[in-house]
Amino acid sequence: MTEILSNKDGEAENPNAVEQMKTGQARRKRLFSAVQPSGTLTLGNYIGAIRNWRMLLDEYDCIYALADLHTLTVRQNPADLRRNTYALAALYIASGIDPEKCVLFVQSHVSAHAELSWILNTITYPGELQRMTQFKDKSRSHADNVNMGLMDYPVLMASDILLYGADLVPVGADQKQHIEITRDLAIRFNGRYSDTFIVPEPYIAKSGAKIMSLQDPSKKMSKSDPNPAAFISMDDSRDTIIKKFRRAVTDSDTTVRYDEEHKPGVSNLLTIYSVITGKSIGEAEAEFCGKMYGEFKTAVGEAVADVVDPIREEKNRILKDKAYLDNVFKNGAESAGRMAKRTLSKVYKRVGLVQAMP
Ligand code: TYM
């Protein structure tokens, strides 16, 4: 039976309302998201996540993390992980995620993430984690290393989001299930111990939330694809990008038309072109009406290279300045740490843990 405890510290039921009462003003909506520093990022990560993060910077209070603890769920080379963490931070900033406009930090720098995971683990059932699509997929692709962390991945992700009272979580479509379990855990905790967590909503863009492989458009574009021609890396040169698009799998028809069911390859390229150029799908179809696939694919490649080239160059420039990145990490950890600690101590109180004297 679920035990419902009273709210002994006399706070209002809605954590959002508590903040509004304290500050006297409505709080801007808060966003949280993260990417794993597990190697080169793909165009899919950029279009599905980072590009949207940048567009939301001015409208929301944004907290963006590098989910380094999550990467440990599959085997990592420690030196590569360190390098990838700096490289991802440089890529965020080069993509327009200005650390002056948001909180940008490394997940492992804020210990509350691991601590809240422990508490949430005590209200999570193995069955609901075993049912997760990503757990099933990764258990197959990493059959020699099906560890507890792999199964517990969504609980750590829920901790990331709930610690900051995020209202919205901008992600690609593949993460929807993880946001759903985050919501379930927040509702379960609130029901058992009184309102503590804001129940977040996924924020999934209408277009570009699932960029497909260039070689097999029935599969998601993924950095772990063994065939490098299947994905565009954010580190690929202009020539490589254009070559990969020219080789992209389409169909035996000749018309550039959006039809996910019958023309998944062409539809994927149209989506990429439309998101990258800001033109609608209809405008893109009209632009390539009567043109050959070769011309269309080259145009998509060039449009993507025009966006990726300056980001890659800026990333490499930022990456040379480790002291700057360390400073960004330090400031981010301080701000994130303060927010996370407040939530964690509220959680500890609610579950009945005796608080240590300051
Ligand atoms: P990761 O690193 O696997 O993916 C990062 C983001 O990229 C999106 N994405 C895509 N979008 C469109 N098309 C694709 N082909 C594509 N491939 C990846 C993902 O949906 C994701 O938004 N578990 C998270 C990291 C994380 C997180 C969090 C996210 C850890 N804690 C808290 C949000 C909130 C992940 O999959 O990362």
Side-chain angles (χ1 to χ4, degrees):
M1 201 183 78
T2 312
E3 190 192 3
I4 303 193
L5 301 177
S6 62
N7 181 349
K8 294 209 179 63
D9 28 40
E11 285 182 352
E13 289 301 284
N14 176 352
N16 226 332
V18 176
E19 197 145 335
Q20 282 175 28
M21 271 168 15
K22 282 184 190 152
T23 60
Q25 50 182 259
R27 156 189 176 284
R28 283 213 302 180
K29 281 208 185 247
R30 193 170 283 172
L31 293 190
F32 181 95
S33 199
V35 170
Q36 299 183 72
S38 53
T40 16
L41 249 63
T42 70
L43 185 65
N45 298 123
Y46 177 74
I47 291 181
I50 298 177
R51 187 180 163 276
N52 298 326
W53 299 3
R54 184 192 60 226
M55 298 197 297
L56 299 164
L57 268 184
D58 291 322
E59 209 180 323
Y60 296 93
D61 281 339
C62 299
I63 304 163
Y64 296 134
L66 292 95
D68 57 346
L69 293 172
H70 276 105
T71 68
L72 300 175
T73 56
V74 300
R75 260 187 216 110
Q76 299 289 327
N77 172 308
D80 288 346
L81 177 55
R82 268 189 289 275
R83 227 187 341 268
N84 289 334
T85 302
Y86 281 104
L88 180 58
L91 183 76
Y92 279 8
I93 299 168
S95 305
I97 310 298
D98 180 353
E100 300 291 325
K101 288 194 180 166
C102 63
V103 176
L104 194 169
F105 76 105
V106 180
Q107 184 189 35
S108 66
H109 293 179
V110 177
S111 60
H113 292 248
E115 293 165 296
L116 181 59
S117 284
W118 177 254
I119 302 290
L120 294 181
N121 270 330
T122 65
I123 61 162
T124 309
Y125 308 111
E128 54 192 342
L129 296 176
Q130 280 156 345
R131 272 199 298 277
M132 293 283 117
T133 309
Q134 182 176 297
F135 174 67
K136 288 197 236 164
D137 289 349
K138 286 204 174 165
S139 301
R140 270 193 294 273
S141 55
H142 299 275
D144 60 334
N145 185 25
V146 183
N147 59 75
M148 288 303 292
L150 197 59
M151 190 165 120
D152 210 29
Y153 184 110
V155 177
L156 180 58
M157 194 164 147
S159 304
D160 296 344
I161 298 165
L162 299 180
L163 272 177
Y164 299 96
D167 304 284
L168 294 171
V169 187
V171 283
D174 63 335
Q175 294 301 308
K176 192 160 176 259
Q177 209 180 28
H178 289 161
I179 314 297
E180 274 158 15
I181 195 170
T182 300
R183 290 171 54 84
D184 290 346
L185 293 177
I187 292 167
R188 195 173 301 160
F189 188 97
N190 288 350
R192 200 170 292 181
Y193 296 109
S194 86
D195 265 357
T196 306
F197 294 124
I198 288 174
V199 181
E201 301 276 347
Y203 188 108
I204 297 174
K206 281 205 185 77
S207 191
K210 193 170 185 189
I211 299 298
M212 310 311 277
S213 151
L214 298 184
Q215 291 298 313
D216 175 359
S218 68
K219 272 182 14 196
K220 185 186 82 161
M221 181 182 283
S222 162
K223 55 191 157 199
S224 51
D225 200 305
N227 178 2
F231 61 88
I232 301 294
S233 154
M234 293 300 285
D235 281 329
D236 280 344
S237 70
R238 180 173 195 87
D239 277 359
T240 306
I241 293 173
I242 295 172
K243 250 185 234 146
K244 284 185 181 178
F245 275 105
R246 288 181 67 93
R247 269 194 262 141
V249 168
T250 43
D251 50 55
S252 53
D253 190 13
T254 50
T255 41
V256 177
R257 182 169 50 82
Y258 192 91
D259 177 347
E260 258 182 61
E261 197 188 332
H262 302 105
K263 297 167 76 66
V266 169
S267 302
N268 188 38
L269 297 184
L270 275 170
T271 300
I272 294 172
Y273 187 73
S274 146
V275 173
I276 287 288
T277 61
K279 295 176 185 168
S280 70
I281 296 279
E283 284 166 343
E285 283 175 334
E287 187 178 338
F288 297 104
C289 177
K291 303 223 167 106
M292 309 286 275
Y293 276 173
E295 195 174 334
F296 166 56
K297 291 201 264 186
T298 305
V300 181
E302 283 172 351
V304 169
D306 285 346
V307 169
V308 174
D309 275 351
I311 295 179
R312 186 188 57 247
E313 277 162 30
E314 178 64 358
K315 181 200 107 174
N316 290 336
R317 191 191 63 75
I318 296 170
L319 203 45
K320 289 196 189 112
D321 195 350
K322 283 265 165 61
Y324 164 71
L325 290 171
D326 281 328
N327 199 43
V328 168
F329 290 164
K330 181 168 172 281
N331 292 337
E334 272 166 20
S335 305
R338 259 194 312 275
M339 289 187 239
K341 207 168 155 201
R342 268 204 301 273
T343 308
L344 187 70
S345 69
K346 197 198 276 182
V347 167
Y348 277 7
K349 240 191 269 174
R350 295 272 159 93
V351 301
L353 300 179
V354 172
Q355 303 284 289
M357 295 290 276

